[in-house]
Amino acid sequence: MFTPKVPPPDTAPAPGTSLVPPLTGLVHPPACTCHHAPTVPAPVPAAPVARPAVQFTPGSLLVAAAGGTAMVLIIGTVLVSMLLATAITAASVAVCAVVLRSLLNRPNNR
């Protein structure tokens, strides 16, 4: 069941032969029949003058600082609220555990 299925030797193609017959006898005419002189490749343009990638103006610095401050405040608020939710959940689970423990340990004291 798990052995590979190999075709019998008489149906397998012989090594070195192709299943696609070679294309012979096809002759394409040249794209252009006129005789041009070899062309000289175009000169490579000079590299542009290097300049800083980003130029900050006082206004753009102010916007970047305000945006960074806003992101820090928003991300901080989200993280603090997630921490607070986790703390409240842990406290409520602890209270439930204490109540269940007291109910299960002293069934005769009710």
Side-chain angles (χ1 to χ4, degrees), residues 21-72:
L23 298 174
T24 57
L26 294 177
V27 178
H28 294 285
C32 178
T33 57
C34 55
H35 302 288
H36 292 289
T39 59
V40 177
V44 178
V49 177
R51 63 179 188 165
V54 178
Q55 295 178 349
F56 287 112
T57 62
S60 64
L61 284 175
L62 184 65
V63 169
T69 303
M71 285 184 61
V72 166

Side-chain angles (χ1 to χ4, degrees), residues 5-15 17 19:
K5 307 285 189 282
V6 180
D10 59 343
T11 60
T17 61
L19 297 176

